[in-house]
Amino acid sequence: MDICKTHENASKCSMHTMECFKVLSTQAQKISIATLCGLFGTLCVVENSLVLYLIFSSPRTRKKPSYIFISSLALADILASIIFVFSFVNFHVISETNFSKEAFLLQLGGVNTSFSISVSSLLLTALDRYISIVKPSEYKLLMTRKRAWVALGVVWVMCATIASLPLLGWNCCTLNSTCSELFPFVDENYLSSWVCMVLVLLGCIIYAYAHVLWRARQHVAYMKKHQVQVGKQNTRMRMDIMLAKTLVMVLTVLMLCWSPVLILMIYSTFVRLSDRLRKVFAFCSTLCLLNSMVNPVIYALRSKELYSSLRMVFSKFRRQLKAPENSPEAESTHKSSMIET
C-alpha cells in the first residue's frame, strides 16, 4: 500500500493508516503472538490474584506499607495483563476493523496507565526498602500506613492523567503534528515524553536498589571487621546475601523486559523503522507482560511471610480434599454398604 510507504502519508490521521500498524503478516506470527499473550496473561492474572489474596487474607501483612505497595503492583499487573492482551490480540491478531480514534486511544490509555502504575509501584517498593535499610530506626515514623495509601493515590491519579492526555487532545490528529510510527494517532512528542518518564522511574529504581545493595555489603564488611558473634553474623550475612540475590534478579528482569521496547521507542523518534523492526517491537511488547508475570515471584513469593501463608493455603486445600473421605457421611455410607454386602 502506498499509504504505508511514505512517512508523510503514514503520519496522516485517516482510518486507512490503522492497517499500516498491523505488522503481523503471516498466520504463524499471529498464532505465536496470541499464544504468548494468552500464556503470559493467564499466568499473570493467576499469580497476582494469589498474591492479593495472600496479602489481604492476613491482618498482619495488609497493614504493612511494603505489602500495600506490593498489592498495588499486583493489581496494576492484573489490569495490565487483561487490558494489554485484549487490545493487543484484538488489534494485531483478530484485526478488528471498526476501531475509531477514540476507542483506540482509550484502550492504549488503559495499557499505558496500568504499565505506568506497575513501574511506579516498583519505584515505591524500592523507596520503601531504601528507607528501611538507610534509616531503620526512623522507618516506622517515616513510612506509615496512611502515607503509603496517600502515595499510592497520588501515583494512580498521576499515571491515569498522563495516560489520558492523547485521548484528551495531545494526539497528532488534533495538533496536526507528526505521528508516531509505532502507535496510530499518537503524537511523537508525547511518546518521547512518556519514554523519558519511564526512564526516570527506572533510573530511580536502579539507584535505590544499588544503594540498598551497597549498604548491605557495607554492613557485612563492618560485621566481619568488628568480629560480631558468629551465630548472629552468619544469620545477618545470609539475609544480606538473599537480599543481594533478590535485587540482582529484580534489576536483571526489569532491564531485560523493558529495554528492548524503550530502545525501539527512542530509535523510532530519530530513524524511520522498517517493517521487520516493527514486527520485532510487537513481539518485544509481550516482554512487558512477562515482567508483570515474574513480579509476583520476585517481590512477593520470596517473602517469608507470604511464602508461609502460601504453604498454609495449600495445606488447608489438601485437608479439604481429604475431608470428604473421612467425613461422617462417608463413614456411614461405607458401613451401610458393608451391612448390605
Side-chain angles (χ1 to χ4, degrees):
M1 295 176 62
D2 293 335
I3 197 171
C4 299
K5 291 182 178 179
T6 62
H7 180 74
E8 291 80 12
N9 286 334
S11 298
K12 291 181 179 179
C13 294
S14 64
M15 293 307 297
H16 297 287
T17 60
M18 297 290 287
E19 297 296 328
C20 303
F21 294 90
K22 298 176 181 179
V23 294
L24 303 181
S25 55
T26 65
Q27 194 67 20
Q29 293 174 353
K30 293 181 179 181
I31 293 175
S32 299
I33 208 77
T35 303
L36 289 175
C37 289
L39 178 62
F40 292 163
T42 302
L43 290 175
C44 182
V45 171
V46 172
E47 291 176 0
N48 286 285
S49 298
L50 178 60
V51 168
L52 288 176
Y53 172 77
L54 294 177
I55 291 176
F56 287 100
S57 62
S58 172
R60 182 180 179 184
T61 55
R62 66 169 175 253
K63 293 180 179 180
K64 291 185 177 181
S66 57
Y67 289 107
I68 293 176
F69 296 145
I70 291 177
S71 64
S72 171
L73 174 64
L75 180 58
D77 285 339
I78 290 174
L79 294 176
S81 61
I82 294 174
I83 301 174
F84 177 84
V85 170
F86 172 78
S87 59
F88 197 79
V89 172
N90 194 28
F91 183 80
H92 285 289
V93 180
I94 302 176
S95 297
E96 186 69 37
T97 56
N98 59 352
F99 268 109
S100 65
K101 181 189 74 173
E102 291 74 17
F104 179 83
L105 291 178
L106 180 62
Q107 291 186 15
L108 184 64
V111 175
N112 193 346
T113 300
S114 52
F115 277 125
S116 299
I117 293 174
S118 178
V119 178
S120 299
S121 298
L122 294 178
L123 176 60
L124 291 177
T125 306
L127 293 176
D128 175 76
R129 297 187 178 185
Y130 177 84
I131 296 173
S132 67
I133 197 168
V134 173
K135 297 182 178 180
S137 59
E138 304 176 20
Y139 173 77
K140 291 186 177 181
L141 295 176
L142 295 175
M143 191 60 68
T144 61
R145 186 184 179 187
K146 182 179 179 180
R147 290 181 178 178
W149 282 111
V150 170
L152 282 181
V154 172
V155 164
W156 279 70
V157 170
M158 286 182 59
C159 290
T161 302
I162 294 173
S164 302
L165 291 178
L167 185 62
L168 296 175
W170 191 356
N171 57 73
C172 54
C173 303
T174 304
L175 301 177
N176 196 22
S177 56
T178 304
C179 295
S180 167
E181 291 189 357
L182 294 174
F183 305 100
F185 313 123
V186 175
D187 182 73
E188 197 173 70
N189 293 327
Y190 171 81
L191 181 62
S192 302
S193 302
W194 186 84
V195 171
C196 290
M197 181 193 74
V198 174
L199 289 176
V200 169
L201 293 176
L202 293 177
C204 293
I205 293 171
I206 292 173
Y207 172 79
Y209 278 137
H211 195 82
V212 168
L213 183 59
W214 174 72
R215 288 295 295 265
R217 292 183 60 184
Q218 191 180 46
H219 188 74
V220 171
Y222 174 84
M223 293 172 66
K224 287 182 177 179
K225 181 178 179 181
H226 292 81
Q227 296 180 349
V228 183
Q229 297 177 2
V230 177
K232 188 176 180 180
Q233 178 182 352
N234 290 337
T235 302
R236 184 63 187 182
M237 285 182 65
R238 283 195 298 268
M239 292 177 61
D240 290 332
I241 291 173
M242 185 176 180
L243 174 62
K245 289 181 179 179
T246 303
L247 297 180
V248 170
M249 290 174 60
V250 167
L251 297 180
T252 302
V253 172
L254 193 64
M255 297 310 298
L256 287 178
C257 291
W258 280 90
S259 293
V261 171
L262 294 177
I263 290 173
L264 286 174
M265 285 183 180
I266 297 172
Y267 186 70
S268 68
T269 59
F270 298 101
V271 180
R272 188 187 170 198
L273 298 180
S274 62
D275 291 340
R276 184 178 180 182
L277 281 178
R278 293 202 293 167
K279 289 180 182 179
V280 171
F281 177 79
F283 279 91
C284 288
S285 299
T286 60
L287 291 177
C288 299
L289 194 61
L290 176 64
N291 185 38
S292 297
M293 185 188 75
V294 176
N295 280 338
V297 179
I298 298 178
Y299 282 87
L301 299 184
R302 286 179 64 89
S303 166
K304 289 184 178 180
E305 291 178 309
L306 293 185
Y307 183 71
S308 61
S309 298
L310 182 62
R311 292 183 62 182
M312 291 176 61
V313 169
F314 280 123
S315 61
K316 183 179 179 181
F317 181 71
R318 283 197 298 266
R319 287 196 300 269
Q320 289 178 348
L321 290 178
K322 294 179 180 179
E325 300 178 1
N326 302 326
S327 62
E329 292 80 0
E331 293 180 359
S332 63
T333 304
H334 178 70
K335 289 179 179 179
S336 61
S337 63
M338 290 294 291
I339 293 172
E340 292 175 0
T341 305

